[in-house]
Amino acid sequence: MSSYTRREKKRKGQKKKKKKYIYIYIYFFFFWCKKINKVKWALSASLIFSSASIIAPGPVPLYLPSSRLPPSPNIINSLFLSSNNHTLISSRLPPLSTLPSSTFLLLLLLLGKIMPPILPDFSNSVKIKYVKLGYQYLVNHILYLLLIPVMVGILIEVLRLGPDEILSLWRSLHFNTVQILCSSFLIIFIATVYFMSKPRTIYLVDYACYKPPVTCRVPFSTFMEHSRLILKDNPKSVEFQMRILERSGLGEETCLPPAIHYIPPKPTMEAARGEAELVIFSAMDSLFKKTGLKPKDIDILIVNCSLFSPTPSLSAMVINKYKLRSNIKSFNLSGMGCSAGLISIDLARDILQVHPNSNAVVVSTEIITPNYYQGKERAMLLPNCLFRMGGAAILLSNRRSHRWLAKYRLVHVVRTHKGADDKAYQCVFEQEDKEGKVGINLSKDLMAIAGEALKSNITTIGPLVLPASEQLLFLLTLIGRKIFNPKWKPYIPDFKQAFEHFCIHAGGRAVIDELQKNLQLSAEHVEASRMTLHRFGNTSSSSLWYELGYIEAKGRMRRGDRVWQIAFGSGFKCNSAVWKCNRTIKTPTDSPWADCIDRYPVHIPEVVKL
């Protein structure tokens, strides 16, 4: 065999051997790609091993902790030799400098995956939330951060002048009597105009919620038994009510008025008046007891009840019961839906701005007796499963003597009305069914319409309550969507920075879920709403006060805390009220939650099997 033939065979053998190692490296690389998810420090490893290949053309040993090596096939295991607590890549591998560039790159990437990092991973150590907190602090306190250096600079300059120079500077200023008198008059005039034009502060002195007696309790079994007897000719309607009740989020202790406990129910005018007197008078008596208020001290009375509007009115009924003054300013609101409670607060605020040193009592309730639907329409059977007895009486005042006594101070009331749209107007509609039975028809578009109303309300209240950092982010996102890309996801402001507590109208489980999702609230933020729905059901306009009572009963209300009350109502309306806590509130002993707060919060399953 000639020397040329021997050299050719040797060269071909080296090529095959090199290809074999190339395949091993490729297999090794993809195996580790499957085992390790993140590529780390590939660039550092590339620099290290490219330098090593230049300095030492021979094999480069790589030590790896054996705990980081997963089980591998025999072809991979043959490349590793165990040495104490580490594993050494065998010298059987060819020198790195002799490998093709593509194989060398694959190995460098592999080494970047399995090498321990030489430097700390700063990208993981810096938390995004801390960056956001720093941004919020900077933007929200930008005025103080700018003024403090200016004030410090002025102080340093004054200290540098010395007392003699300051005294000479003061003497150089020439003031005559006319200038001093004119300046004093101008200051007094501006201060007088400012304080006279400033709106009066409205205080929430205290409130009381009605607690139904145990005899009015309606467990699931009782409710379904009555439904089967009342709708015995329509089992599908009974089954529908059962499905709604299973997913409603209500508990076993909700209550209905005595007239509904009869089979069939007896929704007479006398029974409806009896329920109104029971709920309203009980709440008023409790309010008088808690505040020490006397009936003659009430200057303004507002009663809201949507579906029951007798003659004389409910406000007249209260005046007659407590023998209120003849010059009292009384109002009776009806047909305003579940958000009528905040409408009453807004009305009381406007009247108190005009009449100084006055007390206003607001009564919010819903009378169930005449509105229990006994027909077969599913959309009209839904309120039967959700609405329950309830009521609240609230004392508002603009007297300065209540400044330290009051629990809360009213900050904002924002009202949004979507009644111009036909769908919004008819989504909660009182009407007769085909058999002539009156009930409340709830549209399938209710949640979508409520979302639109909430969006309008948030747009109005956002600039009033949100810190500057959130408003700036919202503005920049809005400009970016208008100018650069309309498909950008709109920025939802973080209302958790504006409020410590949320009272969302307990209209139903779906309403609370939707608001929690859209406002990005935690489970604790909506806890009061869920537990109120579970314990008392949907008590219409008074539900917000049961929720506020829950927060107080848990001992969570501290001085300076801000509360956001959100309510929805027929029409369609979305109303908001913002309160600020005047003093740290101790756990009340006369609250409707007093005997059961220790059991709450409770777990509410998605479906309760009946």
Side-chain angles (χ1 to χ4, degrees):
M1 184 181 296
S2 63
S3 60
Y4 175 77
T5 307
R6 284 196 300 270
R7 284 197 302 272
E8 280 295 316
K9 284 186 177 182
K10 187 177 180 181
R11 188 172 60 83
K12 288 180 180 180
Q14 289 176 351
K15 277 189 175 182
K16 288 181 180 180
K17 192 174 182 180
K18 190 178 291 185
K19 284 183 179 180
K20 176 183 175 182
Y21 285 122
I22 290 173
Y23 295 146
I24 291 173
Y25 278 120
I26 293 173
Y27 185 86
F28 190 85
F29 170 73
F30 283 110
F31 172 78
W32 278 96
C33 281
K34 289 175 68 176
K35 293 294 181 182
I36 305 173
N37 293 326
K38 294 182 179 179
V39 176
K40 292 182 179 180
W41 300 94
L43 182 59
S44 301
S46 303
L47 292 173
I48 292 168
F49 277 90
S50 58
S51 303
S53 63
I54 295 171
I55 296 170
V60 181
L62 173 64
Y63 288 92
L64 296 170
S66 57
S67 60
R68 296 188 59 179
L69 296 175
S72 52
N74 293 332
I75 189 170
I76 301 300
N77 289 336
S78 64
L79 298 177
F80 293 96
L81 297 175
S82 181
S83 174
N84 295 331
N85 294 329
H86 295 79
T87 303
L88 176 66
I89 294 183
S90 172
S91 58
R92 290 167 57 187
L93 293 174
L96 293 175
S97 56
T98 63
L99 294 176
S101 58
S102 58
T103 308
F104 184 65
L105 180 60
L106 289 176
L107 181 59
L108 291 180
L109 290 173
L110 169 63
L111 294 173
K113 295 171 73 64
I114 61 177
M115 277 287 290
I118 300 170
L119 297 174
D121 191 352
F122 294 106
S123 62
N124 286 339
S125 62
V126 179
K127 301 289 186 182
I128 297 299
K129 67 176 182 179
Y130 295 123
V131 176
K132 189 175 181 180
L133 285 173
Y135 158 77
Q136 292 166 358
Y137 188 85
L138 176 64
V139 175
N140 296 339
H141 300 85
I142 188 68
L143 187 60
Y144 299 104
L145 295 174
L146 291 175
L147 285 177
I148 288 174
V150 173
M151 298 299 294
V152 170
I154 294 173
L155 181 62
I156 292 173
E157 288 297 322
V158 170
L159 293 175
R160 286 177 60 186
L161 289 174
D164 296 334
E165 293 185 13
I166 294 173
L167 187 61
S168 62
L169 183 64
W170 173 258
R171 289 173 178 173
S172 66
L173 299 174
H174 299 285
F175 296 104
N176 56 41
T177 308
V178 176
Q179 289 177 336
I180 294 173
L181 290 176
C182 290
S183 301
S184 302
F185 174 78
L186 182 62
I187 292 171
I188 293 171
F189 176 76
I190 293 173
T192 304
V193 171
Y194 171 76
F195 285 108
M196 289 186 65
S197 61
K198 186 179 179 181
R200 289 188 174 89
T201 304
I202 308 302
Y203 299 103
L204 193 162
V205 181
D206 212 334
Y207 63 96
C209 297
Y210 168 70
K211 183 181 178 182
V214 181
T215 53
C216 294
R217 193 169 68 92
V218 184
F220 293 157
S221 57
T222 303
F223 184 89
M224 292 312 305
E225 182 184 358
H226 284 209
S227 296
R228 291 188 188 96
L229 293 172
I230 296 169
L231 300 170
K232 56 185 177 182
D233 297 330
N234 197 341
K236 290 186 178 181
S237 296
V238 176
E239 185 182 350
F240 170 75
Q241 284 188 303
M242 181 183 290
R243 290 201 306 271
I244 293 299
L245 200 62
E246 287 176 341
R247 295 164 175 80
S248 63
L250 271 68
E252 297 275 1
E253 298 182 74
T254 59
C255 296
L256 284 172
I260 306 301
H261 288 258
Y262 290 99
I263 302 174
K266 296 181 178 180
T268 62
M269 178 61 74
E270 183 182 1
R273 284 187 182 275
E275 181 192 351
E277 292 173 358
L278 175 64
V279 174
I280 295 174
F281 295 165
S282 298
M284 291 283 289
D285 291 342
S286 181
L287 182 67
F288 290 148
K289 183 179 178 181
K290 292 174 74 172
T291 60
L293 182 73
K294 298 178 181 179
K296 296 294 183 181
D297 296 333
I298 301 176
D299 304 293
I300 303 158
L301 175 66
I302 302 172
V303 180
N304 68 266
C305 179
S306 295
L307 298 175
F308 182 57
S309 183
T311 300
S313 66
L314 295 176
S315 60
M317 182 183 75
V318 174
I319 293 171
N320 177 260
K321 165 69 176 177
Y322 295 101
K323 310 304 177 187
L324 303 183
R325 300 199 318 256
S326 60
N327 63 343
I328 190 171
K329 296 168 181 61
S330 66
F331 302 87
N332 194 94
L333 305 182
S334 62
M336 304 295 286
C338 298
S339 64
L342 297 185
I343 296 174
S344 299
I345 296 294
D346 187 35
L347 177 60
R349 180 192 64 171
D350 292 343
I351 299 172
L352 287 171
Q353 292 298 330
V354 180
H355 299 278
N357 202 32
S358 299
N359 293 320
V361 172
V362 174
V363 180
S364 294
T365 187
E366 190 60 74
I367 306 304
I368 306 295
T369 298
N371 304 294
Y372 189 84
Y373 178 65
Q374 302 181 53
K376 302 174 182 177
E377 292 291 333
R378 293 188 177 184
M380 300 169 77
L381 283 169
L382 188 58
N384 289 355
C385 302
L386 299 176
F387 283 87
R388 296 292 186 267
M389 285 181 78
I394 305 100
L395 174 59
L396 302 174
S397 177
N398 58 10
R399 295 182 177 181
R400 292 187 178 180
S401 58
H402 286 142
R403 180 176 182 180
W404 305 111
L405 178 65
K407 284 186 173 182
Y408 303 94
R409 175 172 60 87
L410 183 61
V411 182
H412 299 292
V413 177
V414 175
R415 294 167 57 182
T416 305
H417 208 301
K418 309 294 285 187
D421 180 60
D422 291 339
K423 285 187 176 180
Y425 172 70
Q426 295 178 357
C427 69
V428 181
F429 208 80
E430 186 176 16
Q431 64 185 38
E432 296 175 337
D433 63 7
K434 296 176 182 178
E435 298 177 356
K437 296 179 180 179
V438 179
I440 305 297
N441 191 332
L442 300 181
S443 170
K444 294 180 180 179
D445 301 325
L446 178 60
M447 292 307 301
I449 293 167
E452 289 297 320
L454 176 66
K455 185 191 295 184
S456 301
N457 195 275
I458 285 177
T459 304
T460 307
I461 201 173
L464 300 176
V465 298
L466 286 171
S469 57
E470 290 299 305
Q471 294 191 44
L472 181 61
L473 285 175
F474 180 80
L475 178 63
L476 293 176
T477 307
L478 183 64
I479 293 173
R481 294 183 70 211
K482 293 289 184 183
I483 298 176
F484 300 106
N485 188 357
K487 295 182 179 180
W488 278 8
K489 187 177 180 181
Y491 178 72
I492 300 175
D494 186 6
F495 280 92
K496 296 187 290 295
Q497 294 185 37
F499 306 106
E500 284 74 30
H501 308 286
F502 295 81
C503 295
I504 301 169
H505 168 53
R509 190 174 198 160
V511 175
I512 301 171
D513 289 344
E514 197 65 25
L515 263 71
Q516 180 183 5
K517 178 182 175 182
N518 290 336
L519 298 178
Q520 300 175 355
L521 304 179
S522 66
E524 185 176 348
H525 288 131
V526 296
E527 182 182 312
S529 301
R530 292 193 189 280
M531 299 307 112
T532 297
L533 182 65
H534 181 271
R535 174 61 182 84
F536 295 100
N538 181 355
T539 59
S540 189
S541 57
S542 63
S543 66
L544 298 174
W545 304 106
Y546 287 94
E547 294 167 17
L548 193 59
Y550 179 88
I551 298 171
E552 291 181 3
K554 280 292 183 182
R556 298 173 181 172
M557 194 64 70
R558 298 285 184 268
R559 182 181 178 182
D561 284 0
R562 297 155 296 179
V563 186
W564 186 16
Q565 292 181 323
I566 316 168
F568 301 91
S570 58
F572 190 84
K573 300 178 286 292
C574 177
N575 300 326
S576 295
V578 179
W579 304 89
K580 190 169 184 178
C581 186
N582 262 0
R583 55 185 173 84
T584 300
I585 299 174
K586 297 180 180 179
T587 303
T589 57
D590 51 359
S591 145
W593 295 95
D595 63 340
C596 62
I597 193 62
D598 295 335
R599 304 198 310 264
Y600 286 91
V602 298
H603 172 67
I604 304 175
E606 291 293 329
V607 179
V608 178
K609 289 298 180 182
L610 301 181

